[in-house]
Amino acid sequence: MIQAQTAAPPHAKVTAILLFTTLMWGGSFLFNKIGMREVPPVHFFFFRFALAALLMGVVCLPRLARLNRHIAVRGAVVGLALAAVNLTFVLGVSGTTISRAGYLNNLFVLFIPLLTFALWRERVDRVTFGGIALAVVGLWALASGGAEGFNRGDLLSTVCALFIAIHIIAVSRVLRDEDVYLVTLVQFVAVAAVGLVLCLILPWPEFTIGRAGAWSLAYCALFPTVICFTLQNAYQRFTTPTKAGLVYTLDPVWSMLFGVSILGERLTPRELSGCVLILMAVAGPLLARLYLEQRQRRLYRLDDAEGT
């Protein structure tokens, strides 16, 4: 697995690796959809994270001696948020197309400033408000464009975006200097525990995991879970949140391409326009922030040059 690096890698390498993670995350929409043809969503959710926890446990074997109550408590808190993310994710994907789910999940970028304003009164800029308004128009286009309108799966995918935002905020507020590998392991264990409780509470339907279901579980446990978390923890810190956010907006593009090319999904013109509007709503504020960051950096360089 990737080890933490002390020297900053080239920016092109960081961008390429983060792009690769978006491809794997986009693939998770496809493999969740395929796997849930054989395995019920909640059980797929449990099996995925039980396997991911097992794999991460093997990776963390040399570090387990450092696991303490502090890491366990903080990892469990963040893990509960991650459980909410992935439970609503599988329920959402099972009830709508992966093309629509991908774009709806991406709304987390707009939920983050709204939540930070509601909780800590952090200022929401005009560009973000514009993005939220554009997202509302995109949601309306999606709701009125499909044969079923804005269905239960779409609603759960939108709720999933809210939980993604909560998870990101929880990570930034709760975690500090803990071992990211051990924290990730505790998160996976917490998610698997939630899945186990749900499986014990809910009726256990009859199902058989065939080849497609097994491969889907293996992919989802290894690539978008263990590997993506490791790559994100190792490399995202070498770029700005704005640049990382722009890269992550490609997630729904991959999911739509997989849905159209492999599952044969088709979007009506209105649905497609809704997806484009949501992508613009998410990417627009990020591009504006990136422009402002670069402008401030140039001004700083000019001031520094004049001072010397």
Side-chain angles (χ1 to χ4, degrees):
M1 301 300 288
I2 304 297
Q3 297 297 320
Q5 301 182 22
T6 54
H11 184 264
K13 180 179 179 180
V14 173
T15 302
I17 288 174
L18 294 183
L19 281 171
F20 181 59
T21 65
T22 67
L23 179 62
M24 289 190 285
W25 278 325
S28 72
F29 286 85
L30 172 66
F31 283 99
N32 269 274
K33 194 75 170 180
I34 293 173
M36 286 186 289
R37 291 173 178 174
E38 297 180 356
V39 185
V42 174
H43 297 76
F44 190 93
F45 161 74
F46 164 62
F47 291 140
R48 170 187 174 178
F49 278 92
L51 181 56
L54 180 62
L55 293 171
M56 200 67 195
V58 173
V59 172
C60 290
L61 276 176
R63 301 168 177 264
L64 288 180
R66 302 181 217 166
L67 182 60
N68 54 37
R69 183 177 178 276
H70 178 80
I71 293 176
V73 170
R74 288 176 177 261
V77 169
V78 178
L80 290 176
L82 185 62
V85 168
N86 284 277
L87 182 59
T88 52
F89 172 77
V90 295
L91 293 174
V93 169
S94 68
T96 189
T97 65
I98 65 173
S99 302
R100 292 166 68 106
Y103 283 94
L104 291 171
N105 284 175
N106 227 28
L107 288 171
F108 78 87
V109 174
L110 300 178
F111 280 131
I112 289 175
L114 290 179
L115 287 171
T116 55
F117 172 77
L119 295 172
W120 297 288
R121 290 295 184 265
E122 292 186 7
R123 180 176 172 272
V124 181
D125 55 69
R126 295 178 182 178
V127 176
T128 300
F129 268 123
I132 293 168
L134 195 59
V136 171
V137 177
L139 287 171
W140 174 83
L142 270 182
S144 59
E148 301 178 7
F150 198 79
N151 61 26
R152 174 176 168 274
D154 296 326
L155 176 61
L156 286 168
S157 294
T158 306
V159 173
C160 177
L162 175 62
F163 282 127
I164 292 172
I166 292 172
H167 177 255
I168 291 172
I169 292 171
V171 169
S172 65
R173 295 281 175 170
V174 173
L175 302 182
R176 290 293 180 264
D177 300 321
E178 293 82 5
D179 185 310
V180 292
Y181 292 88
L182 289 176
V183 168
T184 301
L185 170 62
V186 174
Q187 286 186 73
F188 292 169
V189 171
V191 177
V194 170
L196 177 60
V197 170
L198 291 174
C199 287
L200 292 175
I201 293 174
L202 298 173
W204 190 287
E206 292 186 7
F207 62 90
T208 302
I209 302 178
R211 181 177 296 180
W215 278 111
S216 297
L217 280 170
Y219 175 90
C220 290
L222 180 60
F223 291 99
T225 310
V226 173
I227 292 179
C228 276
F229 266 88
T230 305
L231 289 174
Q232 186 181 24
N233 289 333
Y235 287 96
Q236 185 180 314
R237 60 198 175 98
F238 294 115
T239 189
T240 66
T242 302
K243 290 179 181 177
L246 278 173
V247 173
Y248 295 152
T249 58
L250 285 175
D251 285 1
V253 177
W254 297 124
S255 65
M256 185 177 72
L257 289 175
F258 290 138
V260 171
S261 61
I262 298 177
L263 298 181
E265 295 179 353
R266 293 294 181 268
L267 295 174
T268 66
R270 182 167 288 186
E271 284 180 293
L272 186 58
S273 66
C275 290
V276 171
L277 287 172
I278 289 174
L279 181 62
M280 291 171 59
V282 171
L286 291 173
L287 284 169
R289 291 190 198 105
L290 181 61
Y291 168 76
L292 291 174
E293 286 176 5
Q294 292 178 337
R295 182 183 177 187
Q296 289 175 348
R297 197 173 291 116
R298 285 196 298 267
L299 290 174
Y300 176 79
R301 290 198 196 101
L302 285 173
D303 292 340
D304 190 55
E306 290 174 358
T308 56

